[in-house]
Amino acid sequence: AVNYSYEGTEIVIMVEQDPRGSVTITFVNHGNTISESKLKRIFEQFYRLDTARSSKSGGAGLGLAISKQIVETHGGTIRAESADELIVFTVELPAEPGAAPVPETESDDA
C-alpha cells in the first residue's frame, strides 16, 4: 500500500474480531482504481499491474501471491476491491480451534 498509494495520503488498517473469535484485517489506501479484470488476477504469481511495472517498488509480482498462500494455509481468505480511487484488501482468519475470543483489555497503569 505504501508503494501504490497517492503521495501524502493515509493508509488505514482496521482489525475486528467477531464473537466466534475470527479476525478480519482491512487495509485501505488511496491510489489508482484497479479495474475488475485486473483485480481477478492480482493474486497470481508474477502478475503486476501496468502502472506497477514502473513503480518505485521494484517487486517481482510475488508479494500478493505469497500473502494469499499464507492466509489460505491458515484457513483464511484474502480479497481485493477497488473503486473511486480506493483500494481495499480484506483478510479474514479463523480463530484457533477451541480458542476463546481475546478480551478487550485496558492499559495496565497500576
Side-chain angles (χ1 to χ4, degrees):
V2 171
N3 289 325
Y4 301 105
S5 293
Y6 293 144
E7 192 171 326
T9 59
E10 181 178 69
I11 298 169
V12 177
I13 303 171
M14 297 173 282
V15 179
E16 296 179 279
Q17 184 175 19
D18 75 18
R20 297 180 316 270
S22 63
V23 175
T24 301
I25 308 163
T26 307
F27 304 85
V28 181
N29 69 288
H30 296 268
N32 292 325
T33 301
I34 303 169
S35 70
E36 190 64 34
S37 63
K38 292 179 181 182
L39 281 173
K40 290 178 183 178
R41 299 190 60 204
I42 202 165
F43 295 104
E44 293 177 13
Q45 286 185 357
F46 306 112
Y47 182 76
R48 298 187 66 198
L49 299 172
D50 294 338
T51 57
R53 294 185 196 284
S54 62
S55 76
K56 57 188 172 231
S57 75
L62 291 172
L64 289 175
I66 292 169
S67 297
K68 182 178 180 184
Q69 185 173 6
I70 291 169
V71 168
E72 289 179 349
T73 297
H74 287 88
T77 61
I78 185 171
R79 67 180 182 276
E81 303 169 77
S82 183
D84 301 323
E85 297 187 331
L86 280 179
I87 297 90
V88 179
F89 283 88
T90 304
V91 176
E92 295 180 34
L93 295 167
E96 290 184 60
V102 177
E104 290 186 29
T105 59
E106 295 181 26
S107 70
D108 215 327
D109 293 327

